[in-house]
Amino acid sequence: MEEIRIYHSIWKNIGLIAICFVFVAIGILMLLRGEQSFIAWTSILFFGGGGLFVLFLILREIISHKAYYIITDESVSMDSGMKKWEVRFADVEEFYLINVSSSKQIGIKYKKEVEFQKMNDASSAGRTFRKLNERLAGVQESLPADGLNIKPQELCDLLNMRLTR
């Protein structure tokens, strides 16, 4: 079966980038009016950094043709620009769609022995993070599914189809 490459959608993320830069502009206007506030600097740094990161991801994918997700017969790999991560289908029982806050994600239900091994191999901070994820989302790990050139449900169905093969 062929390799499937999934990218971020420019059109689905343009609104997010615009909102981030509006908050940056508001922060700059607050500073120009003489308001040296924590809120102004936080707005500039947080939203400016977030907007630039999303823009970086999209431009990186366009220029270098590096996909965010690559789905093969054996695994799905994610290249977030900061970290590469692979989920082997042999380790997974099922994928399912979850809502985390306002974000759609693909929950990964690992086989029990793999889940146990991942928990044991994690650092103390990693174990805390995994337990928090289990309480909030019902899974230790998930794949972001928003802002892609494929709908979240289609991605989930595609992963489950590859899983059964």
Side-chain angles (χ1 to χ4, degrees):
M1 210 180 298
E2 89 252 11
E3 175 181 277
I4 298 172
R5 302 170 78 76
I6 298 173
Y7 299 88
H8 281 98
S9 168
I10 297 170
W11 304 112
K12 290 181 182 176
N13 287 292
I14 200 85
L16 175 64
I17 294 168
I19 290 170
C20 286
F21 291 131
V22 165
F23 277 100
V24 169
I26 291 170
I28 291 170
L29 288 174
M30 289 172 70
L31 291 176
L32 290 175
R33 288 187 8 196
E35 299 175 33
Q36 297 290 327
S37 71
F38 175 75
I39 294 172
W41 283 109
T42 302
S43 176
I44 292 168
L45 295 175
F46 180 76
F47 289 104
L52 287 174
F53 183 71
V54 172
L55 189 60
F56 160 76
L57 283 178
I58 292 170
L59 291 176
R60 179 179 158 271
E61 290 174 8
I62 291 170
I63 293 168
S64 67
H65 301 290
K66 288 188 176 189
Y68 187 62
Y69 289 125
I70 298 175
I71 302 170
T72 65
D73 290 338
E74 292 85 32
S75 66
V76 56
S77 59
M78 180 181 83
D79 185 354
S80 70
M82 296 177 64
K83 174 180 147 180
K84 291 184 180 182
W85 184 44
E86 183 176 37
V87 177
R88 293 182 49 235
F89 293 136
D91 297 339
V92 177
E93 277 187 27
E94 75 171 308
F95 295 98
Y96 56 95
L97 203 56
I98 57 175
N99 290 317
V100 178
S101 186
S102 62
S103 167
K104 294 234 187 249
Q105 301 203 6
I106 308 292
I108 306 168
K109 183 177 181 187
Y110 286 105
K111 294 177 179 174
K112 286 294 178 198
E113 62 274 5
V114 174
E115 199 169 86
F116 182 73
Q117 189 63 46
K118 283 185 171 283
M119 188 66 82
N120 283 342
D121 291 347
S123 65
S124 59
R127 280 192 291 278
T128 302
F129 185 69
R130 287 179 179 280
K131 288 176 185 175
L132 180 65
N133 278 349
E134 283 180 338
R135 275 190 232 118
L136 294 176
V139 292
Q140 284 188 18
E141 296 177 353
S142 61
L143 300 168
D146 282 334
L148 303 173
N149 62 355
I150 186 173
K151 292 179 182 175
Q153 187 62 55
E154 290 175 17
L155 176 59
C156 186
D157 294 342
L158 179 64
L159 292 172
N160 279 316
M161 280 182 11
R162 290 288 171 113
L163 187 63
T164 57
R165 295 182 181 178

